[in-house]
Amino acid sequence: MDEPPPVNVEVIVPEAMSAGVYANGFTCWYNRTDFTLDFIVHLPTDPGVDDSGAPVLRQPVQVVSRVKFPPAMIFRLMQTLNDSMSNYEQQFGAIVHLGE
């Protein structure tokens, strides 16, 4: 039986998406059928007061992109990110963790 020819994936990025979006945070939530990653940007803090009049600092965030994955793909995403981080560190040195 003949082997099928190899498949070369060609990634096409629409012009409107070519610059990407900046995110400085993310959240992850899930249900039975999907994992959802919300990529967010922290907006300027907003001082205010709570219901009892005590001062509070409100931290608004804005979702700049939302991506949904079927559960079976999340493990593959994690593997790819781990491989990419290892390759990055080999090329550029250790990644400095936020807050350090």
Side-chain angles (χ1 to χ4, degrees):
M1 183 178 272
D2 291 335
E3 291 286 324
V7 175
N8 292 326
V9 176
E10 180 182 349
V11 177
I12 300 170
V13 179
E15 182 66 29
M17 296 179 68
S18 65
V21 295
Y22 176 77
N24 57 12
F26 67 92
T27 63
C28 178
W29 49 281
Y30 57 90
N31 61 29
R32 182 170 170 76
T33 60
D34 298 299
F35 277 79
T36 300
L37 298 177
D38 282 339
F39 296 92
I40 60 174
V41 169
H42 291 261
L43 300 174
T45 56
D46 183 20
V49 293
D50 65 14
D51 292 339
S52 66
V56 295
L57 197 57
R58 183 176 158 264
Q59 175 61 73
V61 297
Q62 180 176 357
V63 173
V64 295
S65 183
R66 174 173 283 177
V67 182
K68 293 183 171 283
F69 292 92
M73 275 191 63
I74 282 295
F75 186 70
R76 177 71 179 184
L77 172 66
M78 292 172 59
Q79 286 178 315
T80 300
L81 288 172
N82 189 54
D83 291 347
S84 294
M85 285 175 36
S86 295
N87 292 339
Y88 176 96
E89 289 186 319
Q90 284 178 349
Q91 186 172 357
F92 299 109
I95 295 172
V96 177
H97 298 276
L98 293 176
E100 294 181 13

Coordinates of all heavy atoms in Angstrom, one line a residue:
M1 N 0.8 -1.2 0.0 CA 0.0 0.0 0.0 C 0.9 1.2 0.0 O 1.8 1.3 0.8 CB -0.9 0.0 1.2 CG -1.9 1.1 1.3 SD -3.0 1.1 2.7 CE -4.3 0.1 2.0
D2 N 0.6 2.2 -0.8 CA 1.4 3.4 -0.9 C 1.1 4.3 0.3 O 0.0 4.5 0.8 CB 1.0 4.2 -2.2 CG 1.4 3.5 -3.5 OD1 2.4 2.7 -3.4 OD2 0.8 3.7 -4.5
E3 N 2.2 4.9 0.7 CA 2.1 5.9 1.8 C 1.5 7.2 1.3 O 1.9 7.6 0.2 CB 3.5 6.2 2.4 CG 4.1 5.0 3.2 CD 3.4 4.8 4.5 OE1 3.1 5.8 5.2 OE2 3.2 3.6 4.9
P4 N 0.7 7.9 2.1 CA 0.2 9.2 1.6 C 1.3 10.2 1.7 O 2.3 10.0 2.5 CB -0.9 9.5 2.6 CG -0.6 8.7 3.8 CD 0.1 7.5 3.3
P5 N 1.3 11.2 0.8 CA 2.4 12.2 0.8 C 2.3 13.0 2.1 O 1.3 13.1 2.7 CB 2.1 13.1 -0.4 CG 0.6 12.9 -0.7 CD 0.3 11.5 -0.2
P6 N 3.5 13.5 2.5 CA 3.5 14.4 3.7 C 2.7 15.6 3.5 O 2.5 16.1 2.4 CB 5.0 14.7 3.9 CG 5.6 14.5 2.6 CD 4.8 13.5 1.9
V7 N 2.1 16.1 4.6 CA 1.3 17.3 4.5 C 2.2 18.5 5.1 O 2.7 18.4 6.2 CB 0.0 17.2 5.4 CG1 -0.7 18.5 5.4 CG2 -0.8 16.1 4.8
N8 N 2.3 19.5 4.3 CA 3.0 20.8 4.8 C 1.9 21.8 5.1 O 1.2 22.2 4.2 CB 3.9 21.3 3.7 CG 5.1 20.4 3.4 OD1 5.6 19.8 4.3 ND2 5.5 20.3 2.2
V9 N 1.8 22.2 6.4 CA 0.8 23.1 6.8 C 1.3 24.5 6.5 O 2.5 24.9 6.8 CB 0.6 23.0 8.3 CG1 -0.4 24.1 8.8 CG2 0.1 21.6 8.7
E10 N 0.5 25.3 5.8 CA 0.8 26.7 5.5 C -0.1 27.6 6.3 O -1.3 27.6 6.2 CB 0.5 27.0 4.0 CG 0.8 28.4 3.6 CD 0.5 28.6 2.1 OE1 0.3 27.7 1.4 OE2 0.5 29.8 1.7
V11 N 0.5 28.4 7.2 CA -0.2 29.2 8.1 C -0.4 30.6 7.4 O 0.5 31.2 6.9 CB 0.6 29.5 9.4 CG1 -0.2 30.5 10.3 CG2 0.8 28.2 10.1
I12 N -1.7 31.0 7.3 CA -2.1 32.2 6.6 C -2.7 33.1 7.7 O -3.6 32.8 8.3 CB -3.1 32.0 5.5 CG1 -2.5 31.0 4.4 CG2 -3.5 33.3 4.9 CD1 -3.4 30.6 3.4
V13 N -2.0 34.3 7.9 CA -2.5 35.2 8.9 C -3.2 36.4 8.2 O -2.5 37.1 7.3 CB -1.3 35.8 9.7 CG1 -1.8 36.8 10.7 CG2 -0.6 34.7 10.4
P14 N -4.5 36.6 8.4 CA -5.2 37.7 7.8 C -4.5 39.0 8.1 O -4.0 39.2 9.2 CB -6.6 37.7 8.3 CG -6.8 36.3 8.8 CD -5.4 35.8 9.3
E15 N -4.5 39.9 7.2 CA -3.8 41.2 7.3 C -4.3 41.9 8.6 O -3.5 42.5 9.4 CB -4.1 42.1 6.1 CG -3.4 43.5 6.2 CD -1.9 43.4 6.2 OE1 -1.3 42.5 5.6 OE2 -1.2 44.3 6.8
A16 N -5.6 41.9 8.9 CA -6.1 42.6 10.1 C -5.5 42.0 11.4 O -5.6 42.7 12.4 CB -7.6 42.5 10.1
M17 N -5.0 40.8 11.4 CA -4.5 40.1 12.6 C -3.0 40.1 12.6 O -2.4 39.6 13.6 CB -5.0 38.7 12.7 CG -6.5 38.6 12.8 SD -7.1 36.9 12.9 CE -6.4 36.4 14.5
S18 N -2.3 40.6 11.6 CA -0.9 40.4 11.5 C -0.1 41.1 12.6 O 1.0 40.6 12.9 CB -0.4 40.9 10.1 OG -0.6 42.3 10.0
A19 N -0.5 42.2 13.1 CA 0.2 42.8 14.2 C 0.0 42.1 15.5 O 0.8 42.3 16.5 CB -0.3 44.3 14.3
G20 N -1.0 41.3 15.7 CA -1.3 40.7 16.9 C -1.9 41.6 17.9 O -2.1 42.8 17.6
V21 N -2.1 41.2 19.2 CA -2.5 42.0 20.2 C -1.6 41.8 21.4 O -1.1 40.7 21.6 CB -4.0 41.7 20.6 CG1 -5.0 42.0 19.5 CG2 -4.2 40.3 21.1
Y22 N -1.5 42.9 22.2 CA -0.7 42.8 23.4 C -1.5 42.3 24.6 O -2.7 42.8 24.8 CB -0.1 44.1 23.8 CG 0.7 44.1 25.1 CD1 2.0 43.6 25.1 CD2 0.2 44.7 26.2 CE1 2.7 43.5 26.3 CE2 0.9 44.7 27.4 CZ 2.1 44.1 27.5 OH 2.8 44.1 28.6
A23 N -1.0 41.4 25.4 CA -1.7 41.0 26.6 C -0.7 40.9 27.8 O 0.4 40.5 27.5 CB -2.4 39.7 26.4
N24 N -1.0 41.4 29.0 CA -0.1 41.2 30.1 C -0.7 40.4 31.2 O -0.4 40.4 32.4 CB 0.3 42.6 30.6 CG -0.8 43.5 31.0 OD1 -1.9 43.0 31.2 ND2 -0.5 44.7 31.2
G25 N -1.7 39.6 30.8 CA -2.3 38.6 31.7 C -3.3 37.7 31.0 O -3.5 37.8 29.8
F26 N -3.8 36.7 31.7 CA -4.7 35.7 31.1 C -5.5 35.1 32.2 O -5.1 35.0 33.3 CB -4.0 34.7 30.2 CG -3.1 33.8 31.0 CD1 -3.6 32.6 31.5 CD2 -1.8 34.1 31.3 CE1 -2.8 31.7 32.2 CE2 -1.0 33.2 32.0 CZ -1.5 32.0 32.5
T27 N -6.6 34.5 31.8 CA -7.4 33.7 32.7 C -7.8 32.4 31.9 O -7.7 32.4 30.6 CB -8.7 34.4 33.1 OG1 -9.5 34.6 32.0 CG2 -8.4 35.7 33.9
C28 N -8.1 31.4 32.6 CA -8.5 30.1 32.0 C -9.7 29.6 32.7 O -9.7 29.6 33.9 CB -7.3 29.1 32.0 SG -7.7 27.5 31.3
W29 N -10.7 29.2 32.0 CA -11.8 28.5 32.5 C -12.3 27.5 31.6 O -11.9 27.4 30.5 CB -12.9 29.5 32.9 CG -13.3 30.5 31.8 CD1 -12.6 31.7 31.5 CD2 -14.5 30.5 31.0 NE1 -13.3 32.3 30.5 CE2 -14.4 31.6 30.2 CE3 -15.5 29.6 30.9 CZ2 -15.4 31.8 29.2 CZ3 -16.5 29.8 29.9 CH2 -16.4 31.0 29.1
Y30 N -13.1 26.6 32.1 CA -13.5 25.4 31.3 C -14.9 24.9 31.7 O -15.4 25.3 32.7 CB -12.5 24.3 31.5 CG -12.4 23.8 32.9 CD1 -13.2 22.9 33.4 CD2 -11.4 24.4 33.7 CE1 -13.1 22.5 34.8 CE2 -11.3 24.1 35.1 CZ -12.1 23.1 35.6 OH -12.0 22.7 36.9
N31 N -15.5 24.2 30.7 CA -16.7 23.4 31.0 C -16.5 22.1 30.4 O -15.4 21.7 30.0 CB -17.9 24.2 30.4 CG -17.9 24.4 28.9 OD1 -17.3 23.6 28.2 ND2 -18.5 25.5 28.5
R32 N -17.5 21.3 30.2 CA -17.4 19.9 29.7 C -16.8 19.9 28.3 O -16.1 18.9 28.0 CB -18.7 19.2 29.8 CG -18.7 17.8 29.3 CD -20.1 17.1 29.7 NE -20.2 15.8 29.0 CZ -19.6 14.7 29.5 NH1 -18.8 14.8 30.5 NH2 -19.8 13.6 28.9
T33 N -17.1 20.9 27.5 CA -16.7 20.8 26.1 C -15.5 21.7 25.6 O -15.0 21.5 24.6 CB -17.9 21.1 25.2 OG1 -18.3 22.4 25.5 CG2 -19.1 20.1 25.4
D34 N -15.2 22.7 26.5 CA -14.2 23.6 26.0 C -13.3 24.1 27.2 O -13.8 24.2 28.3 CB -14.9 24.9 25.5 CG -15.7 24.7 24.3 OD1 -15.2 24.2 23.2 OD2 -16.9 24.9 24.3
F35 N -12.1 24.4 26.9 CA -11.2 25.3 27.7 C -11.2 26.6 27.0 O -11.1 26.7 25.8 CB -9.8 24.7 27.7 CG -9.6 23.7 28.7 CD1 -10.0 22.4 28.5 CD2 -9.0 23.9 30.0 CE1 -9.8 21.3 29.4 CE2 -8.8 22.9 30.9 CZ -9.2 21.6 30.6
T36 N -11.4 27.7 27.8 CA -11.4 29.0 27.3 C -10.2 29.8 27.9 O -10.1 29.9 29.1 CB -12.7 29.8 27.6 OG1 -13.8 29.0 27.0 CG2 -12.7 31.2 27.0
L37 N -9.4 30.4 27.0 CA -8.3 31.3 27.5 C -8.7 32.7 27.1 O -8.9 33.0 25.9 CB -7.0 30.9 26.8 CG -6.4 29.5 27.1 CD1 -5.2 29.3 26.2 CD2 -6.1 29.3 28.5
D38 N -8.8 33.6 28.1 CA -9.0 35.0 27.9 C -7.7 35.7 28.1 O -7.0 35.6 29.2 CB -10.0 35.6 28.9 CG -11.4 35.2 28.5 OD1 -11.7 34.9 27.3 OD2 -12.3 35.3 29.4
F39 N -7.2 36.4 27.1 CA -6.0 37.2 27.2 C -6.4 38.6 27.5 O -7.3 39.1 26.9 CB -5.2 37.1 25.9 CG -4.7 35.7 25.6 CD1 -5.4 34.8 24.9 CD2 -3.5 35.2 26.2 CE1 -5.0 33.5 24.7 CE2 -3.0 33.9 26.0 CZ -3.8 33.1 25.2
I40 N -5.8 39.2 28.6 CA -6.3 40.4 29.1 C -5.1 41.5 29.2 O -4.0 41.1 29.1 CB -6.9 40.2 30.5 CG1 -5.8 39.7 31.5 CG2 -8.1 39.3 30.4 CD1 -6.3 39.6 32.9
V41 N -5.6 42.7 29.3 CA -4.7 43.9 29.5 C -5.2 44.6 30.8 O -6.4 44.8 30.9 CB -4.7 44.9 28.3 CG1 -3.9 46.2 28.7 CG2 -4.0 44.2 27.1
H42 N -4.3 44.8 31.7 CA -4.6 45.5 32.9 C -4.7 47.0 32.6 O -3.8 47.6 32.0 CB -3.6 45.3 34.0 CG -3.5 43.9 34.5 ND1 -4.2 43.5 35.7 CD2 -3.0 42.8 34.0 CE1 -4.0 42.2 35.9 NE2 -3.3 41.7 34.9
L43 N -5.8 47.6 33.0 CA -6.1 49.0 32.7 C -5.7 49.8 34.0 O -5.5 49.2 35.1 CB -7.6 49.2 32.4 CG -8.0 48.5 31.1 CD1 -9.5 48.6 31.0 CD2 -7.3 49.0 29.9
P44 N -5.6 51.1 33.9 CA -5.2 51.9 35.1 C -6.2 51.6 36.3 O -7.4 51.5 36.1 CB -5.4 53.3 34.7 CG -5.2 53.3 33.2 CD -5.8 52.0 32.7
T45 N -5.6 51.6 37.5 CA -6.4 51.4 38.7 C -7.4 52.6 38.9 O -7.1 53.7 38.4 CB -5.6 51.1 39.9 OG1 -4.7 52.3 40.1 CG2 -4.8 49.9 39.8
D46 N -8.5 52.3 39.6 CA -9.5 53.3 39.8 C -9.9 53.3 41.3 O -10.5 52.4 41.8 CB -10.7 52.9 39.0 CG -11.8 53.9 39.1 OD1 -11.6 55.1 39.4 OD2 -13.0 53.5 38.7
P47 N -9.4 54.4 42.1 CA -9.8 54.4 43.5 C -11.3 54.6 43.7 O -11.9 55.3 42.9 CB -9.0 55.6 44.0 CG -8.6 56.4 42.8 CD -8.7 55.5 41.6
G48 N -11.8 54.0 44.7 CA -13.2 54.1 45.0 C -13.5 53.7 46.4 O -12.6 53.7 47.2
V49 N -14.7 53.5 46.7 CA -15.1 53.1 48.1 C -16.1 51.9 47.9 O -16.8 51.8 46.9 CB -15.8 54.2 48.9 CG1 -14.8 55.3 49.2 CG2 -17.0 54.8 48.1
D50 N -16.1 51.0 48.9 CA -17.0 49.9 48.9 C -18.3 50.3 49.5 O -18.5 51.5 49.9 CB -16.4 48.7 49.6 CG -16.1 48.9 51.1 OD1 -16.7 49.8 51.7 OD2 -15.4 48.0 51.7
D51 N -19.2 49.3 49.7 CA -20.6 49.6 50.2 C -20.6 50.2 51.6 O -21.5 50.9 52.0 CB -21.4 48.3 50.2 CG -21.7 47.9 48.8 OD1 -21.6 48.7 47.9 OD2 -22.1 46.7 48.6
S52 N -19.5 49.9 52.4 CA -19.5 50.5 53.7 C -18.7 51.8 53.8 O -18.5 52.4 54.9 CB -18.8 49.5 54.7 OG -17.4 49.3 54.3
G53 N -18.2 52.3 52.6 CA -17.5 53.6 52.6 C -16.0 53.4 52.8 O -15.3 54.4 52.7
A54 N -15.5 52.2 52.9 CA -14.1 52.0 53.0 C -13.4 52.2 51.7 O -14.0 51.8 50.6 CB -13.8 50.6 53.6
P55 N -12.2 52.7 51.6 CA -11.5 52.9 50.4 C -11.1 51.5 49.7 O -10.7 50.6 50.5 CB -10.3 53.7 50.7 CG -10.1 53.6 52.2 CD -11.4 53.2 52.8
V56 N -11.3 51.4 48.5 CA -10.9 50.3 47.7 C -10.2 50.7 46.4 O -10.4 51.9 46.0 CB -12.1 49.3 47.3 CG1 -12.7 48.8 48.5 CG2 -13.1 50.1 46.5
L57 N -9.4 49.9 45.9 CA -8.7 50.2 44.6 C -9.2 49.2 43.6 O -9.0 48.0 43.7 CB -7.2 50.0 44.8 CG -6.3 50.7 43.7 CD1 -6.6 52.2 43.6 CD2 -4.8 50.5 44.1
R58 N -9.9 49.6 42.6 CA -10.5 48.8 41.6 C -9.5 48.6 40.5 O -8.8 49.5 40.0 CB -11.7 49.5 41.0 CG -12.5 48.7 40.0 CD -13.8 49.5 39.6 NE -14.2 49.1 38.3 CZ -13.9 49.7 37.1 NH1 -13.2 50.8 37.1 NH2 -14.4 49.2 36.0
Q59 N -9.3 47.3 40.1 CA -8.3 47.0 39.0 C -9.1 46.4 37.8 O -9.4 45.2 37.7 CB -7.3 45.9 39.5 CG -6.4 45.4 38.4 CD -5.5 46.5 37.8 OE1 -4.6 47.0 38.4 NE2 -5.8 46.9 36.6
P60 N -9.5 47.3 36.9 CA -10.2 46.8 35.7 C -9.2 46.1 34.7 O -8.0 46.5 34.7 CB -10.8 48.0 35.1 CG -9.9 49.2 35.6 CD -9.4 48.7 36.9
V61 N -9.7 45.1 34.1 CA -8.9 44.4 33.0 C -9.9 44.3 31.8 O -11.1 44.3 31.9 CB -8.4 43.0 33.4 CG1 -7.5 43.1 34.6 CG2 -9.6 42.1 33.7
Q62 N -9.3 44.3 30.6 CA -10.0 44.2 29.4 C -9.6 42.9 28.6 O -8.4 42.7 28.4 CB -9.8 45.4 28.5 CG -10.6 45.4 27.2 CD -10.4 46.7 26.4 OE1 -9.8 47.6 26.9 NE2 -11.0 46.7 25.3
V63 N -10.5 42.1 28.2 CA -10.2 41.0 27.3 C -9.8 41.5 25.9 O -10.6 42.2 25.3 CB -11.4 40.0 27.3 CG1 -11.1 38.9 26.3 CG2 -11.7 39.4 28.6
V64 N -8.6 41.1 25.4 CA -8.2 41.5 24.1 C -8.3 40.4 23.1 O -8.3 40.6 21.9 CB -6.8 42.1 24.1 CG1 -6.8 43.4 24.9 CG2 -5.8 41.1 24.7
S65 N -8.4 39.1 23.6 CA -8.6 38.0 22.8 C -9.1 36.8 23.6 O -8.7 36.6 24.7 CB -7.3 37.6 22.1 OG -7.4 36.5 21.2
R66 N -10.0 36.1 23.0 CA -10.6 34.9 23.7 C -10.4 33.7 22.7 O -10.8 33.8 21.5 CB -12.0 35.1 24.0 CG -12.7 33.8 24.5 CD -14.1 34.0 25.0 NE -14.0 34.7 26.3 CZ -15.1 35.1 27.0 NH1 -16.3 35.0 26.5 NH2 -14.9 35.7 28.2
V67 N -9.8 32.6 23.2 CA -9.6 31.4 22.4 C -10.2 30.2 23.1 O -9.9 30.0 24.3 CB -8.1 31.2 22.1 CG1 -7.8 30.0 21.2 CG2 -7.4 32.5 21.5
K68 N -10.9 29.4 22.4 CA -11.6 28.2 22.9 C -10.9 27.0 22.3 O -10.6 27.0 21.1 CB -13.1 28.2 22.6 CG -13.8 29.3 23.4 CD -15.3 29.2 23.1 CE -16.1 30.1 24.0 NZ -16.2 29.6 25.3
F69 N -10.6 26.0 23.2 CA -10.0 24.8 22.7 C -10.8 23.6 23.2 O -11.3 23.6 24.3 CB -8.6 24.6 23.4 CG -7.6 25.6 23.0 CD1 -7.4 26.8 23.7 CD2 -6.7 25.3 21.9 CE1 -6.4 27.7 23.3 CE2 -5.7 26.2 21.5 CZ -5.6 27.4 22.2
P70 N -10.9 22.5 22.4 CA -11.5 21.3 22.9 C -10.5 20.7 23.9 O -9.3 20.9 23.8 CB -11.6 20.4 21.6 CG -10.7 21.0 20.6 CD -10.5 22.4 21.0
P71 N -11.0 20.0 24.9 CA -10.1 19.5 25.9 C -8.9 18.7 25.4 O -7.8 18.8 25.9 CB -11.0 18.6 26.8 CG -12.4 19.2 26.6 CD -12.4 19.7 25.2
A72 N -9.1 17.9 24.3 CA -8.0 17.1 23.8 C -6.9 17.9 23.3 O -5.7 17.5 23.2 CB -8.5 16.2 22.7
M73 N -7.1 19.2 22.9 CA -6.0 20.0 22.4 C -5.2 20.7 23.5 O -4.1 21.2 23.3 CB -6.6 21.1 21.5 CG -6.7 20.6 20.0 SD -7.1 21.9 18.9 CE -5.7 22.9 19.0
I74 N -5.8 20.8 24.7 CA -5.1 21.6 25.8 C -3.7 20.9 26.1 O -2.7 21.6 26.3 CB -6.0 21.7 27.0 CG1 -7.0 22.8 26.8 CG2 -5.2 22.0 28.3 CD1 -6.4 24.2 26.6
F75 N -3.7 19.6 26.2 CA -2.4 18.9 26.5 C -1.4 19.2 25.4 O -0.3 19.5 25.7 CB -2.7 17.4 26.6 CG -1.4 16.7 27.1 CD1 -1.0 16.9 28.4 CD2 -0.7 15.9 26.2 CE1 0.2 16.2 28.8 CE2 0.4 15.2 26.6 CZ 0.9 15.4 27.9
R76 N -1.8 19.2 24.2 CA -0.9 19.5 23.0 C -0.4 21.0 23.1 O 0.7 21.3 22.9 CB -1.6 19.3 21.7 CG -0.9 19.6 20.5 CD 0.2 18.7 20.3 NE 0.9 19.1 19.1 CZ 1.9 18.4 18.6 NH1 2.3 17.3 19.1 NH2 2.5 18.8 17.5
L77 N -1.3 21.9 23.5 CA -0.9 23.3 23.7 C 0.1 23.4 24.8 O 1.2 24.1 24.6 CB -2.1 24.2 24.1 CG -1.8 25.6 24.5 CD1 -1.3 26.4 23.3 CD2 -3.1 26.2 25.1
M78 N -0.1 22.7 25.9 CA 0.9 22.8 27.0 C 2.3 22.2 26.6 O 3.3 22.7 26.9 CB 0.3 22.1 28.2 CG -0.8 22.8 28.8 SD -1.7 21.9 30.1 CE -0.4 21.6 31.3
Q79 N 2.2 21.1 25.8 CA 3.5 20.5 25.3 C 4.2 21.5 24.4 O 5.4 21.7 24.5 CB 3.2 19.2 24.6 CG 2.8 18.1 25.4 CD 2.5 16.8 24.6 OE1 1.8 16.9 23.6 NE2 3.1 15.7 25.0
T80 N 3.5 22.1 23.5 CA 4.1 23.1 22.6 C 4.7 24.3 23.3 O 5.8 24.7 23.0 CB 3.1 23.5 21.5 OG1 2.6 22.3 20.8 CG2 3.7 24.5 20.5
L81 N 3.9 24.8 24.3 CA 4.5 25.9 25.0 C 5.7 25.5 25.8 O 6.7 26.3 25.9 CB 3.4 26.5 26.0 CG 2.2 27.2 25.4 CD1 1.2 27.5 26.4 CD2 2.7 28.5 24.7
N82 N 5.7 24.4 26.4 CA 6.9 23.9 27.2 C 8.1 23.7 26.2 O 9.2 24.2 26.6 CB 6.6 22.6 27.9 CG 7.7 22.2 28.8 OD1 8.1 22.9 29.7 ND2 8.2 21.0 28.6
D83 N 7.9 23.1 25.1 CA 9.0 23.0 24.1 C 9.5 24.4 23.7 O 10.7 24.6 23.6 CB 8.5 22.2 22.9 CG 8.3 20.7 23.2 OD1 8.7 20.2 24.3 OD2 7.7 20.1 22.3
S84 N 8.6 25.3 23.4 CA 9.0 26.6 22.9 C 9.7 27.4 24.0 O 10.7 28.1 23.7 CB 7.7 27.4 22.5 OG 7.2 26.8 21.4
M85 N 9.3 27.2 25.3 CA 10.0 27.9 26.4 C 11.4 27.3 26.5 O 12.4 28.1 26.7 CB 9.3 27.7 27.7 CG 8.0 28.6 27.8 SD 7.0 28.3 29.3 CE 8.2 28.0 30.5
S86 N 11.6 26.0 26.4 CA 12.9 25.4 26.5 C 13.8 25.9 25.4 O 15.0 26.2 25.6 CB 12.8 23.9 26.4 OG 12.1 23.4 27.6
N87 N 13.3 26.0 24.1 CA 14.0 26.5 23.0 C 14.4 27.9 23.2 O 15.5 28.3 22.9 CB 13.3 26.3 21.7 CG 13.1 24.8 21.3 OD1 13.9 24.0 21.8 ND2 12.1 24.5 20.5
Y88 N 13.5 28.7 23.7 CA 13.8 30.1 24.0 C 14.9 30.3 25.0 O 15.8 31.1 24.7 CB 12.5 30.8 24.5 CG 12.7 32.3 24.9 CD1 12.4 33.3 24.0 CD2 13.2 32.6 26.2 CE1 12.6 34.6 24.4 CE2 13.4 33.9 26.5 CZ 13.1 34.9 25.6 OH 13.3 36.2 26.0
E89 N 14.8 29.5 26.1 CA 15.9 29.6 27.1 C 17.3 29.2 26.6 O 18.3 29.7 26.9 CB 15.5 28.9 28.3 CG 14.4 29.6 29.1 CD 14.0 29.0 30.4 OE1 14.0 27.7 30.5 OE2 13.8 29.7 31.4
Q90 N 17.3 28.2 25.7 CA 18.5 27.7 25.1 C 19.1 28.8 24.2 O 20.3 29.0 24.2 CB 18.3 26.5 24.3 CG 18.2 25.2 25.1 CD 17.9 24.0 24.2 OE1 17.7 24.1 23.0 NE2 18.0 22.8 24.8
Q91 N 18.3 29.6 23.5 CA 18.7 30.6 22.6 C 19.0 31.9 23.3 O 20.0 32.6 23.0 CB 17.7 30.8 21.5 CG 18.2 31.8 20.5 CD 17.2 31.9 19.3 OE1 16.2 31.1 19.2 NE2 17.5 32.7 18.3
F92 N 18.2 32.3 24.3 CA 18.3 33.7 24.9 C 18.6 33.7 26.4 O 18.8 34.8 27.0 CB 17.0 34.4 24.7 CG 16.6 34.6 23.2 CD1 15.6 33.9 22.7 CD2 17.4 35.5 22.4 CE1 15.2 34.1 21.3 CE2 17.0 35.7 21.1 CZ 16.0 34.9 20.5
G93 N 18.6 32.5 27.1 CA 18.9 32.5 28.5 C 17.6 32.3 29.2 O 16.5 32.4 28.7
A94 N 17.7 32.2 30.6 CA 16.5 31.9 31.4 C 15.5 33.0 31.3 O 15.9 34.2 31.3 CB 17.0 31.7 32.9
I95 N 14.2 32.6 31.3 CA 13.2 33.6 31.4 C 13.0 34.1 32.8 O 13.0 33.3 33.8 CB 11.8 32.9 30.9 CG1 11.9 32.5 29.5 CG2 10.6 33.9 31.2 CD1 10.7 31.7 29.0
V96 N 13.0 35.4 33.0 CA 12.8 36.0 34.3 C 11.4 36.0 34.6 O 10.5 36.5 33.9 CB 13.4 37.5 34.3 CG1 13.1 38.1 35.7 CG2 14.9 37.5 34.0
H97 N 11.0 35.4 35.8 CA 9.6 35.3 36.2 C 9.1 36.6 36.7 O 9.9 37.4 37.2 CB 9.4 34.2 37.3 CG 9.8 32.9 36.9 ND1 9.0 32.0 36.2 CD2 11.0 32.2 37.0 CE1 9.6 30.9 35.9 NE2 10.8 31.0 36.4
L98 N 7.8 36.9 36.4 CA 7.2 38.2 36.9 C 7.4 38.3 38.4 O 7.3 37.4 39.1 CB 5.7 38.2 36.5 CG 5.4 38.2 35.0 CD1 3.9 38.2 34.8 CD2 6.0 39.5 34.4
G99 N 7.7 39.5 38.8 CA 7.9 39.8 40.2 C 9.3 39.6 40.7 O 9.5 39.7 41.9
E100 N 10.2 39.1 39.9 CA 11.6 38.9 40.3 C 12.5 39.9 39.7 O 12.3 40.4 38.7 CB 12.0 37.5 39.9 CG 11.2 36.4 40.6 CD 11.7 35.0 40.2 OE1 12.8 34.8 39.6 OE2 11.0 34.1 40.6

